[in-house]
Amino acid sequence: MSFVGYSGLWNRRSGSHLSTSRLPAMLEFCKTVLSRVSFDRRLFARELKKSFSWLSYQDAVALKTWALATYSRKYAPLILSTFAAAHALEG
């Protein structure tokens, strides 16, 4: 399990920072999680919010693009508002 803290992406299991070469795997992980919870709006919203907080801005944009392409009929307003809120917190 890993999380983003003040000093970046931290791997709890190994007790060390993840290398930047592994960060694209986080994007794929987020896609997998969102695919698995897409049946429930509340779970999808929670996981999307967490995903945007874990990813770099570039990866968050890529995730937003993927999510809109995959789930726009079901969750377009949710995806756009969650991304906007996550981006507003960064700025």
Side-chain angles (χ1 to χ4, degrees), residues 8-9 12 21-22 24 26 43 45 48 51 62-63 66 68-69 71 74 76-77 79-81 86:
L9 196 59
R12 286 190 207 184
S21 64
R22 292 194 47 173
M26 183 58 78
L43 287 174
L48 186 64
S51 295
L63 182 66
W66 171 84
L68 286 171
Y71 300 108
K74 201 171 183 181
I79 295 165
L80 293 172
S81 64

Side-chain angles (χ1 to χ4, degrees), residues 10-87:
W10 182 261
N11 185 326
R12 286 190 207 184
R13 190 171 291 163
S14 69
S16 64
H17 287 283
L18 294 175
S19 68
T20 55
S21 64
R22 292 194 47 173
L23 291 179
M26 183 58 78
L27 176 59
E28 294 306 313
F29 174 74
C30 292
K31 289 179 182 179
T32 300
V33 170
L34 289 171
S35 295
R36 291 182 180 174
V37 300
S38 63
F39 66 93
D40 183 291
R41 182 178 185 82
R42 185 180 50 84
L43 287 174
F44 188 86
R46 181 174 32 181
E47 293 301 328
L48 186 64
K49 183 179 177 181
K50 286 195 291 188
S51 295
F52 284 145
S53 72
W54 288 343
L55 298 171
S56 68
Y57 179 76
Q58 293 80 13
D59 284 345
V61 170
L63 182 66
K64 179 185 90 167
T65 303
W66 171 84
L68 286 171
T70 308
Y71 300 108
S72 64
R73 288 162 78 199
K74 201 171 183 181
Y75 296 130
L78 173 68
I79 295 165
L80 293 172
S81 64
T82 304
F83 178 78
H87 181 58

